[in-house]
Amino acid sequence: MRSMSTSIFARRTVLFGWIARLSANTLVLVLWLWLYRAVFDYLAIIFSREDFRTNQIVLVAVLALVALEIRKEHLHPQFDAAPQWYVPALTLALGGSALYLIVERFLNINTISASLFGLASYGLLGLWMKPQRWRQGFPAALLIVGVLPFGEHLQTFVGYPLRILTASIVRDGLTAAGVSSVGVDTILVFENGVSQVDLPCSGVKSLWTGALFLIAATWVERRPLNWRWLLIAIILAALLFVTNLARVGVLVVVGQVMSWRLVAEMIHVPLGVLGFVASCAAAVVLLRLVPLIAQDEFVVSASAQSTAKAVTTNLAHPSWLSPALMIALAALALLYAPRPHGELAQPTAGFVFPAELMTQPMPLTPDQVRWFTDDGAESVVRQRFEWRGLTGSMIFVTSTTWRAQHRPERCFQVYGLALNGSRTHLVALDFPLRFVWLGDRSAPAAFAAAYWFQSVDRIIDDYGTRIWVDLSPTRERWVLVTVVSHDIVHTEVPRHRTHC
């Protein structure tokens, strides 16, 4: 009887301990989700809206690959166990969370916040995984984070310089070959957009896709992330740029120099695909020259293998770690403070227009007001105008944060207008603006628009520059001015489209 009662008591103790550990882990998860509550609205937009269909397709492919590898490796984190004291994982979890608070407070860039959420979550997961498995799975975490729309930010900051660099190199190459009639502008504005070195074709999108491919190959091939891997990544980026450069050069020669425009239209997509496949194939060959993770870290010798196994087995599971983790997460959640946004309010003194510019207010809908307010706009003025027989509309968005001032080209496309071309136009030496040609199904070259960003002492037309200005500790007030003509535009439209 005594032994039976002892056995029952032992079982109850085990059951209560299991319930206590599971409850503590559940509370940690709830606090974790509470800390990162602001990220979920952004993730819902990214993975539900049609604008990010490419990212959604890549996410499905990545999740399928991750599920396949988990099933293959029989990975089962023990979430009913107490968290283990594993410094790298704990540092990534808490350090990433601290950086998340800083980004939310001072930068307010959703993509960076979501990236930190993904990496820090993988760090938290490492408290319930074997350290060896956790290290081997780190490329998978990078892969999932990589499906976020980094390509859009790369295009903003890097796309245009790469366009100019690519066009300049092609021009110099043609000049050296005796063809001096093709300039940078001719390449950038090539007939029917065949050789347009536009943002999606500038190599930026291929850099993003190539990076995802290299990370996936690294994980599947069981290769370590070290300086050799970094060298391979640099080589892959260089190969993608060179193949894109060669593609543009071939298209310019075929379509512009030899006037075989139809042939150029037919080969521009195959050339891009072949260049990307060849670059990735070369990266895989180089990657396979790197020793496997198992050979490089865990089976160097029998003694080293046994030592690693002992370290993995003897990781401490201190009873105070769960409560300490709860306290740390609760404190971080309470410290969360997003970058302050002003209320949307129309200015008491409106904009002053010339006498010959007739204007009429165009009130915003409640949904539009809420949209601007959520993004941090201070004031929004929309007017209908008539000037010298030309009619249209204009909108003035005033804000101290770049997030309230979206790239107008994206907004035009959301409303169903096709972006036929854009270029910088200098009204004066210190007054650049972006001129945009738009069209719809009924009229491919129907509308024209212009926009610029203006502060007290500066005017710019580049969205990337506007973002960089916002990183200054001193917040500066900027106005995004967008003017759209509602009349048919009879001026020549640049032969310039975003083909890839």
Side-chain angles (χ1 to χ4, degrees), residues 198-497:
D198 204 353
L199 296 181
C201 308
S202 64
V204 173
K205 183 171 289 187
S206 64
L207 288 176
W208 172 66
T209 311
L212 290 180
F213 173 83
L214 181 60
I215 294 172
T218 302
W219 186 40
V220 172
E221 294 286 335
R222 300 291 187 272
R223 310 296 167 168
L225 295 174
N226 51 25
W227 66 269
R228 294 180 181 177
W229 184 91
L230 182 61
L231 180 60
I232 294 173
I234 295 174
I235 293 175
L236 175 59
L239 288 175
L240 290 172
F241 176 77
V242 170
T243 54
N244 182 71
L245 177 66
R247 179 183 68 89
V248 174
V250 170
L251 292 178
V252 170
V253 171
V254 173
Q256 183 70 20
V257 178
M258 305 180 69
S259 299
W260 295 346
R261 294 183 177 86
L262 180 60
V263 176
E265 280 190 19
M266 295 173 60
I267 66 174
H268 76 94
V269 172
L271 283 177
V273 173
L274 288 175
F276 181 80
V277 171
S279 301
C280 291
V284 170
V285 172
L286 295 175
L287 191 63
R288 288 180 174 175
L289 299 177
V290 179
L292 289 166
I293 289 181
Q295 297 174 350
D296 193 41
E297 296 183 7
F298 298 108
V299 292
V300 176
S301 64
S303 59
Q305 185 177 4
S306 61
T307 302
K309 184 177 181 180
V311 171
T312 302
T313 305
N314 296 328
L315 279 176
H317 294 73
S319 58
W320 54 264
L321 183 56
S322 288
L325 197 57
M326 296 177 197
I327 294 173
L329 293 179
L332 289 172
L334 293 174
L335 288 173
Y336 174 80
R339 189 167 183 172
H341 292 157
E343 296 294 331
L344 183 61
Q346 301 299 334
T348 55
F351 294 96
V352 178
F353 302 112
E356 59 180 331
L357 181 65
M358 307 299 295
T359 63
Q360 180 181 356
M362 295 178 62
L364 300 172
T365 65
D367 288 340
Q368 290 171 336
V369 171
R370 183 166 53 253
W371 183 55
F372 281 110
T373 303
D374 291 342
D375 285 337
E378 294 182 353
S379 69
V380 180
V381 176
R382 188 171 61 174
Q383 302 274 351
R384 182 180 288 107
F385 72 86
E386 181 178 352
W387 179 72
R388 296 181 181 178
L390 186 69
T391 61
S393 61
M394 52 188 176
I395 187 170
F396 304 82
V397 181
T398 304
S399 178
T400 56
T401 172
W402 64 271
R403 289 189 59 198
Q405 298 169 336
H406 303 270
R407 184 190 293 274
E409 287 93 337
R410 295 295 300 273
C411 297
F412 296 146
Q413 291 173 328
V414 168
Y415 282 100
L417 296 175
L419 180 62
N420 293 330
S422 67
R423 65 176 175 84
T424 297
H425 175 72
L426 286 177
V427 179
L429 293 178
D430 57 349
F431 190 175
L433 60 79
R434 178 72 62 175
F435 197 79
V436 183
W437 286 267
L438 304 169
D440 57 18
R441 294 181 180 178
S442 61
F447 308 101
Y451 70 86
W452 66 91
F453 302 89
Q454 185 168 347
S455 67
V456 175
D457 56 357
R458 188 180 180 189
I459 297 176
I460 58 176
D461 72 315
D462 182 61
Y463 188 65
T465 304
R466 172 67 186 95
I467 295 177
W468 280 111
V469 169
D470 204 40
L471 300 181
S472 173
T474 304
R475 302 181 66 182
E476 189 176 5
R477 182 170 285 101
W478 286 80
V479 180
L480 167 59
V481 183
T482 306
V483 182
V484 181
S485 169
H486 295 171
D487 298 305
I488 299 295
V489 177
H490 299 288
T491 56
E492 182 181 358
V493 177
R495 295 161 183 178
H496 160 187
R497 288 183 176 87

